[in-house]
Amino acid sequence: MELARDIVIVGAGIAGLTTSLGLHRLGIESLVLESSSNLRITGFALSTWTNAWKALDALGVGDYLRTQHERIDELIATSTASSQPKARVFFKGKAKHGEHEVRCVRRKLLLEALAQELPHDTIRFSSKVVSIDESDYFKLVYLDDGTMIKTKVLIGCDGVNSVVAKWLGFKNPAFTGRSAIRAYANFNGKHGYLFKFYQFFGNGFRSGFFPCDDTSIYWFFTCTEMKLEEDPAKLKQFVLSKLQNAANEHQRKVVEATEEDSIISSSLRYRHPWELLWGNISKGNVSVAGDALHPMTPDVGQGGCAALEDGVVLARCLAEALKKEVTGENKESDKEEYERIEAGLKKYAAERRWRSIELITTAYFVGFIQQSNGKLLNFLRDKFLVNFLSGLLLRLSDFDCGNLKTMSSS
């Protein structure tokens, strides 16, 4: 079967749905290809910082998600080496781009909020991309069911193992030597914890938890174990065995209350920053966003937030390229349209390159320092660096990707 679509987006994750919804808000339709049979909701929850809420408001879904997730008002960072809180960062007050806003958002609700705003036939499930080819000024996308889709624009939002990123020349993301365990604890009644971000670091691991609402808490645990068990029961026991320090008493209680089927593990990978410095974020009428562009460690909580930024900027740049009015005898050629699309994607790449490099680099070093078990680095971190590292979370989130208005409509 052969199909033709103006814009094809590979992946119905945060970046893919954000890009598609941004385009839809601007009157441009797209086709989103998702390899799974439904929305991917692994990961349970994610921290959404001020920059993410700017993007969600630009898409028109911010207020809907606010009604379901409580606001986090403070970060309390505690050293497991000393069992003492070392930094407190308040999330209230104004910054360069407005008032700080932090919430823990359930991934399922975020994806559903984005998807439900799209036309019903936008997402094509069970559609795995196996190869990409070219035909003049078009890309040919081949699926595992034999379908071929001809498109003017191809956007890869297909995660760390992105087929589109490989086509652009990016290498597979590098392993950090660290692993993460993430989970979501649902309580029968109110959990009783304040709406704060509790973070613990040192002794070879970093961990933390923060509530999504009155009855649910998201928690994480990262360590330098090269390979973790896949059995959720063993993962739970592994985490509990590491949380014996008095500093981790509250998180240990949260972990104990977690159902085993709500626990997952994964190895942490990231893209080397110099790949983004020299690599092709866009090439012709092809580009990438989200984890396909900037896989990063979770140490600054910006992976999903950056994907939301990508989608808004990408939709805006594409709309500027595609909205040109061409009528009568001056109808443009495929080549001229291709060149406009290429220019739009180059503009997107220029906007996102340095922002992505900053986030990847900062996340890596924050994780390395916080998780360290070395005596010297522990001393320097606990005595001098902890407030600086905690403050980085707010500094990185003080960013506004802008709204969806194109140059011609502003």
Side-chain angles (χ1 to χ4, degrees), residues 198-315:
Y198 299 90
Q199 184 185 91
F200 310 93
F201 54 83
N203 291 334
F205 66 88
R206 64 184 298 275
S207 63
F209 69 93
F210 44 136
C212 293
D213 51 37
D214 288 332
T215 61
S216 61
I217 292 177
Y218 171 68
W219 61 264
F220 64 88
F221 180 95
T222 67
C223 62
T224 52
E225 302 286 334
M226 289 299 294
K227 186 174 181 179
L228 293 173
E229 295 280 353
E230 294 185 2
D231 183 349
K234 292 181 178 180
L235 289 172
K236 182 175 181 178
Q237 290 306 312
F238 173 79
V239 174
L240 289 173
S241 71
K242 295 290 185 179
L243 299 179
Q244 295 300 319
N245 191 290
N248 302 111
E249 177 186 358
H250 291 299
Q251 182 162 8
R252 192 165 61 248
K253 291 180 179 179
V254 172
V255 175
E256 288 172 347
T258 304
E259 296 292 334
E260 292 173 359
D261 61 359
S262 296
I263 303 174
I264 60 171
S265 67
S266 60
S267 297
L268 297 181
R269 293 188 279 174
Y270 75 112
R271 192 174 303 293
H272 291 126
W274 52 85
E275 287 191 62
L276 293 183
L277 183 61
W278 305 113
N280 294 316
I281 294 177
S282 70
K283 184 178 179 181
N285 54 356
V286 180
S287 192
V288 284
D291 283 345
L293 169 61
H294 45 59
M296 68 184 77
T297 62
D299 305 291
V300 292
Q302 281 292 330
C305 301
L308 288 164
E309 291 179 13
D310 291 342
V312 171
V313 175
L314 182 50

Side-chain angles (χ1 to χ4, degrees), residues 4 39 53 57 73 99 208 235 256 258 276 287 292 303 315 330 363 376 401 406:
L39 289 178
W53 291 104
D57 285 337
D73 58 21
E99 188 176 358
L235 289 172
E256 288 172 347
T258 304
L276 293 183
S287 192
N330 295 322
L376 177 59
C401 63
T406 64

Side-chain angles (χ1 to χ4, degrees), residues 42-68:
T42 56
F44 302 116
L46 64 151
S47 54
T48 50
W49 297 76
T50 310
N51 53 318
W53 291 104
K54 297 286 187 185
L56 290 168
D57 285 337
L59 295 165
V61 297
D63 287 342
Y64 171 75
L65 288 167
R66 286 184 178 95
T67 63
Q68 301 171 82

